[in-house]
Amino acid sequence: MSESEKDTNENEEKIPVMQQLLDNPFLLLFLGVTIPTVFYLIWGIMEIVTIPIAK
Amino acid sequence: MATNEQYRICQSTGLRVYKSAENLIKANAVVAVVFLAIGGLFGLMVALTRWKAVHLLPADWFYLVLTAHGINVLIVWIIFFEMAVLYFASAVLLGCRLATPRWAWAGFVLMLIGAIMTNVAVLQGDSSVMFTSYVPLKAAPSFYLGIILFAVGALVGCFVFFGTLVLAKQERTYEGSVPLVTFGATVAAIIAVFTIASGAIILIPTFLWSFGYISHIDTLMYRTIWWGLGHSSQQINVAAHISIWYLISAVVLGAKPLSEKVSRGAFLLYILFLQLASAHHLLVDPGISSEWKVFNTSYAIYLAVLGSMIHGLTVPGQIEAAQRKKGFNNGLFEWLRKAPWGNPAFSGMFISLILFGFLGGISGVVMGVEQINLIIHNTIYVPGHFHATVVAGTTLAFMAVTYLLVPLIFQRELVLPGWAKVQPYVFGIGVAGISLFMMGAGTLGVPRRHWDISQADAILPYDFPGAANLMMGLNGLSALLAGVGGIMFVVVVVGSILFGKKIESSSEVAKTDPAAEVATKYGSEEHPSVPGTLVLVAVFFISFVLYYYVNWKYLAEIWPLR
């Protein structure tokens, strides 16, 4: 196998990280549920439960 | 895995359509259109009541009908149709059988039972709690149970979609990455999972509270978690209807994405940030910090807005690139002038794109700014905004794609083609009017969800300026026009399904139509030139900036700094 063929094969095998992310629906599902859960729901709920109770 | 499941080859597009997917797409789409007709009728009654000169309904009926309108169009019509879109984008575009069709049918039945149960509860008159069902307003237990069953059914549908993606990959029905339209549908399904989970977190305790098993539900807690359902459900629509824009421009014009990477990157921004927009609804609520409000509605959501603006460039851009390849190269806009405006799928899609961007998009970002939001919070400006996004954007896009689904899935030719040709324009002009006039009236302070604009029975009456009454009248007229457009759509679609000329199909391999093939493959346009689109984008940005600063000026006039 010549040097140039080797290079070509290596290039074909490399899948960029972003493409790996975008091709994995379950990883995307994890991100799409976790991020709003943390920033919107959990953060929001924490703020509400720390409101002092009126006496 | 081998399968004996029957499929057919569509003779016009060459797409492989499995029987199980076809039946589920048909069932979901038909039920969706039925609920659109019901919900649209309720909406017309709301608009005619808010028109001072007509004032159609008494107060108790107004709130009942407003509740039924919200539930049927914001949830039932749209999510049933989205199930059809998910099954189409997975099984049909990937040429694969549907994973676990029995579960998909179970989900469909749950959704149908839930929708009927909630409608019955509302029509019985003791659940006029409106779409938001804010506690301590209490509806009948069957109202909440219906929504919960509907949501569980939709969740089952989402997982059937994910299962079909896995199946298609295992059976190698596609190579490389899934097509862009399928990717967009995946984004819609992901947002749907968060949406439904939020709904379950708050509606299950509320259901128990309605029985008396739970004594108290905190109103702020309810509002915060409920909007994870209420607003995110509308973000499912955004991802779904943008996928449909890509689908229609591919199928009608053979338009390839300008850049797969850029469009997918824009969809990724939706996955990461779009659902945080739910916080818009809590901008004036005490008890939640400005940090939470500003992060969720400004810093993070602007990244999702960036995603929308990318789609706003790439969808017309890919249409322009495809048209220029066909030789429409004269000047900046020959590609647009000579676009297939007589094809209702194309015209509906393009009107949806323009109205969603200019009316829904700009108003949404402006009202999401914490300070400016104070001018219009809880005014009828808010329904003006979401009629631009959900009706002009989503509903019109769904109508447009239905004109493709009738021949492809129902295998019927369209009846009344003249009606079909003008329907997107009639509906689009009507909805644009609804949106603009409600936003105008809201800017003048007209509240949303109020039965009587004249406030005749109020202890402290208030007279709105004459312009506000005029705008509410024009809103009523626009609703009538949109109603005509809606009726035309239902007549054409139902008439075509029942009486349209049958289109023959075959189980033989047909040559795939190059235009339709674009929708099923990964690949970008090579060396596109889109000067006309760049001019349109410049017009959009100028409008955006002007409107943004006009609102700051307006705010400054309300509270002068001296």
Side-chain angles (χ1 to χ4, degrees):
Chain A
M1 189 183 287
S2 72
E3 207 55 37
S4 63
E5 278 174 337
K6 243 185 195 173
D7 285 349
T8 313
N9 287 342
E10 276 176 12
N11 284 338
E12 278 174 2
E13 284 167 12
K14 271 186 194 166
I15 300 174
V17 177
M18 270 305 278
Q19 192 180 336
Q20 287 181 39
L21 168 69
L22 295 175
D23 282 346
N24 189 335
F26 295 101
L27 185 53
L28 294 174
L29 176 64
F30 173 76
L31 289 173
V33 173
T34 307
I35 289 176
T37 301
V38 171
F39 286 109
Y40 178 81
L41 284 180
I42 294 178
W43 184 4
I45 291 168
M46 279 171 61
E47 297 224 340
I48 296 167
V49 298
T50 51
I51 297 172
I53 296 169
K55 289 175 185 168
Chain B
M1 187 190 291
T3 173
N4 294 323
E5 190 179 328
Q6 280 188 329
Y7 66 83
R8 64 178 174 82
I9 304 289
C10 173
Q11 291 303 295
S12 56
T13 60
L15 292 171
R16 178 182 293 196
V17 184
Y18 280 88
K19 198 74 190 159
S20 58
E22 181 179 290
N23 290 340
L24 276 154
I25 293 168
K26 281 181 182 174
N28 279 283
V30 166
V31 172
V33 171
V34 170
F35 280 102
L36 171 67
I38 296 168
L41 179 67
F42 287 134
L44 189 58
M45 291 159 87
V46 170
L48 293 178
T49 304
R50 298 228 50 178
W51 184 353
K52 192 176 172 182
V54 179
H55 210 210
L56 181 70
L57 300 171
D60 51 348
W61 272 94
F62 172 76
Y63 292 108
L64 184 154
V65 164
L66 184 56
T67 306
H69 172 57
I71 295 285
N72 281 307
V73 289
L74 280 171
I75 294 277
V76 182
W77 136 250
I78 279 175
I79 294 189
F80 264 118
F81 200 90
E82 276 160 358
M83 288 300 127
V85 171
L86 289 185
Y87 298 146
F88 181 85
S90 54
V92 178
L93 290 185
L94 298 178
C96 175
R97 67 198 167 88
L98 202 66
T100 61
R102 283 184 187 171
W103 276 99
W105 279 112
F108 171 78
V109 171
L110 276 177
M111 286 171 70
L112 188 57
I113 292 171
I116 293 170
M117 192 182 275
T118 301
N119 267 286
V120 169
V122 172
L123 293 172
Q124 281 174 335
D126 54 356
S127 299
S128 298
V129 292
M130 291 175 280
F131 172 61
T132 44
S133 56
Y134 287 144
V135 297
L137 284 175
K138 190 181 277 184
S142 58
F143 174 89
Y144 304 107
L145 182 61
I147 297 175
I148 292 165
L149 290 178
F150 185 88
V152 171
L155 191 61
V156 170
C158 289
F159 282 104
V160 171
F161 168 80
F162 285 117
T164 307
L165 294 186
V166 173
L167 199 62
K169 193 163 192 173
Q170 276 177 354
E171 296 183 354
R172 298 176 188 275
T173 62
Y174 68 95
E175 287 172 11
S177 302
V178 294
L180 183 59
V181 177
T182 308
F183 186 77
T186 309
V187 175
I190 289 168
I191 297 174
V193 172
F194 171 77
T195 301
I196 294 165
S198 303
I201 292 169
I202 199 61
L203 286 178
I204 291 172
T206 309
F207 170 60
L208 297 174
W209 167 76
S210 71
F211 267 121
Y213 293 134
I214 290 178
S215 61
H216 173 73
I217 291 189
D218 181 76
T219 50
L220 184 55
M221 191 70 86
Y222 178 92
R223 281 167 60 78
T224 305
I225 302 173
W226 188 89
W227 278 113
L229 160 78
H231 201 97
S232 301
S233 60
Q234 310 317 311
Q235 314 294 18
I236 308 170
N237 307 340
V238 175
H241 79 230
I242 289 176
S243 307
I244 285 170
W245 293 348
Y246 283 111
L247 174 70
I248 292 175
S249 52
V251 173
V252 175
L253 296 166
K256 280 185 180 179
L258 292 183
S259 164
E260 285 271 4
K261 286 178 188 170
V262 170
S263 291
R264 280 166 205 256
F267 273 126
L268 179 64
L269 290 173
Y270 281 178
I271 294 173
L272 303 180
F273 303 111
L274 192 57
Q275 298 151 83
L276 306 178
S278 305
H280 286 157
H281 298 272
L282 303 158
L283 280 174
V284 300
D285 283 45
I288 307 180
S289 68
S290 283
E291 287 85 352
W292 181 88
K293 291 175 183 173
V294 172
F295 176 80
N296 280 296
T297 62
S298 293
Y299 294 109
I301 195 62
Y302 290 157
L303 295 168
V305 171
L306 176 65
S308 288
M309 291 197 293
I310 290 170
H311 294 303
L313 165 72
T314 55
V315 175
Q318 72 179 46
I319 292 168
E320 179 175 1
Q323 286 285 82
R324 286 186 184 276
K325 260 168 81 174
K326 289 177 185 166
F328 301 118
N329 279 308
N330 290 328
L332 280 173
F333 293 115
E334 190 193 22
W335 64 275
L336 193 56
R337 283 198 313 277
K338 298 197 173 162
W341 294 106
N343 180 335
F346 177 83
S347 61
M349 179 274 285
F350 208 88
I351 297 168
S352 154
L353 189 154
I354 296 292
L355 295 181
F356 178 79
F358 277 86
L359 298 184
I362 292 177
S363 64
V365 174
V366 169
M367 69 195 283
V369 178
E370 193 177 10
Q371 297 87 338
I372 300 175
N373 184 274
L374 292 172
I375 307 173
I376 51 83
H377 197 91
N378 265 346
T379 70
I380 203 163
Y381 186 102
V382 181
H385 154 73
F386 70 68
H387 278 74
T389 54
V390 179
V391 191
T394 306
T395 298
L396 192 48
F398 286 2
M399 286 175 168
V401 81
T402 304
Y403 291 118
L404 295 181
L405 289 180
V406 168
L408 174 60
I409 298 296
F410 291 89
Q411 297 172 266
R412 300 281 179 172
E413 285 182 9
L414 289 179
V415 297
L416 301 170
W419 281 36
K421 206 170 172 178
V422 296
Q423 185 273 331
Y425 298 95
V426 175
F427 189 77
I429 293 169
V431 178
I434 290 173
S435 179
L436 280 169
F437 294 125
M438 280 207 275
M439 286 198 275
T443 307
L444 294 170
V446 175
R448 64 185 298 197
R449 298 175 158 182
H450 201 294
W451 167 66
D452 179 19
I453 188 175
S454 67
Q455 313 218 351
D457 58 351
I459 297 166
L460 296 171
Y462 177 77
D463 275 334
F464 287 103
N469 291 315
L470 174 67
M471 288 201 201
M472 292 309 290
L474 290 170
N475 170 53
L477 286 171
S478 303
L480 284 170
L481 188 62
V484 170
I487 291 167
M488 289 168 79
F489 171 75
V490 173
V491 169
V492 170
V493 170
V494 175
S496 303
I497 292 170
L498 295 178
F499 309 113
K501 192 177 162 195
K502 182 96 177 125
I503 298 169
E504 294 305 320
S505 67
S506 157
S507 58
E508 300 296 316
V509 176
K511 190 175 180 298
T512 309
D513 174 29
E517 197 174 13
V518 170
T520 65
K521 295 273 187 295
Y522 181 99
S524 307
E525 187 65 55
E526 285 174 14
H527 313 300
S529 164
V530 291
T533 301
L534 293 179
V535 172
L536 292 178
V537 168
V539 171
F540 175 83
F541 274 122
I542 292 166
S543 312
F544 196 161
V545 169
L546 283 177
Y547 189 68
Y548 186 77
Y549 283 103
V550 162
N551 274 275
W552 276 105
K553 175 81 172 63
Y554 191 31
L555 180 66
E557 283 173 1
I558 293 173
W559 289 295
L561 295 171
R562 294 202 176 93

